[in-house]
Amino acid sequence: MKKLKAILLILVGFLLGALTAVGVYFITVGEVAWKEYVKTTLIPNITLALTTISALAVAALPIIAKVKGAVDKFDKATGDINDTVENGRMTEGKLSEQDRRLTNFNERFDSLENKLAPIQKSADNTEKIVRIGFCNTDELVRKGYAAEIEKVGVEDERETEETEP
């Protein structure tokens, strides 16, 4: 709507300017054959000017609409790119935070492994001590309990080895 008003204002301004120029010309020249001048010169020139301006306006409106559409798409694409960049920055921050957490977890896990190694060794030693103690007791050996104790330890180890990934 604004384009149409602008074009109409330009046309009206052009017509007023042309009419003013014609009026000044007639006043300064003196006596002129008005009818003949209007028919032969003025009307064809006004018609030509109006036709040219109208044709230019008609030709320019689709181009202006396409340019405006392209500018709108460009603005939208720019906004999308800016949003993507912002999301990338947020993702980068979250990834660095996650990396920091994983590093912290790995440090704690390594520390836990170091603390568990002596406990595992102590448990193995305790098991060996208990087996030696039970297997060398005469009463347990004679009644067959030492063999049963030995089987329990072996079966427990097999079960834990099978269930571990």
Side-chain angles (χ1 to χ4, degrees):
M1 195 67 172
K2 290 181 181 181
K3 293 176 192 174
L4 185 61
K5 286 181 182 179
I7 291 172
L8 287 176
L9 285 175
I10 291 171
L11 281 173
V12 169
F14 182 74
L15 286 175
L16 287 175
L19 290 175
T20 304
V22 168
V24 169
Y25 175 76
F26 287 133
I27 292 173
T28 57
V29 171
E31 205 152 307
V32 176
W34 285 92
K35 251 185 178 184
E36 186 179 324
Y37 180 74
V38 169
K39 282 183 181 177
T40 59
T41 307
L42 194 57
I43 290 179
N45 286 338
I46 291 174
T47 306
L48 178 65
L50 289 176
T51 305
T52 304
I53 291 171
S54 299
L56 288 174
V58 167
L61 284 177
I63 294 170
I64 291 170
K66 286 183 181 180
V67 168
K68 185 177 183 318
V71 168
D72 290 343
K73 287 180 183 177
F74 183 76
D75 289 342
K76 184 181 180 306
T78 302
D80 290 346
I81 288 171
N82 289 339
D83 291 344
T84 302
V85 167
E86 184 61 32
N87 286 339
R89 287 182 185 144
M90 289 186 338
T91 301
E92 184 178 337
K94 289 178 182 178
L95 283 174
S96 64
E97 175 68 20
Q98 194 63 23
D99 285 344
R100 185 187 61 74
R101 287 180 181 170
L102 282 173
T103 303
N104 189 14
F105 176 77
N106 284 339
E107 289 171 358
R108 289 188 334 212
F109 188 73
D110 291 342
S111 173
L112 183 63
E113 277 185 341
N114 293 337
K115 290 177 183 176
L116 286 178
I119 294 171
Q120 179 66 36
K121 186 171 181 169
S122 176
D124 290 341
N125 288 340
T126 303
E127 182 181 345
K128 288 178 186 175
I129 292 168
V130 168
R131 283 182 188 242
I132 291 170
F134 281 132
C135 291
N136 288 326
T137 305
D138 289 336
E139 188 176 328
L140 292 176
V141 172
R142 272 186 272 137
K143 292 184 177 181
Y145 290 120
E148 292 296 319
I149 291 171
E150 176 115 23
K151 289 178 186 175
V152 169
V154 172
E155 288 175 10
D156 285 345
E157 287 177 8
R158 285 186 192 146
E159 288 176 12
T160 56
E161 288 176 5
E162 291 173 3
T163 57
E164 288 182 1

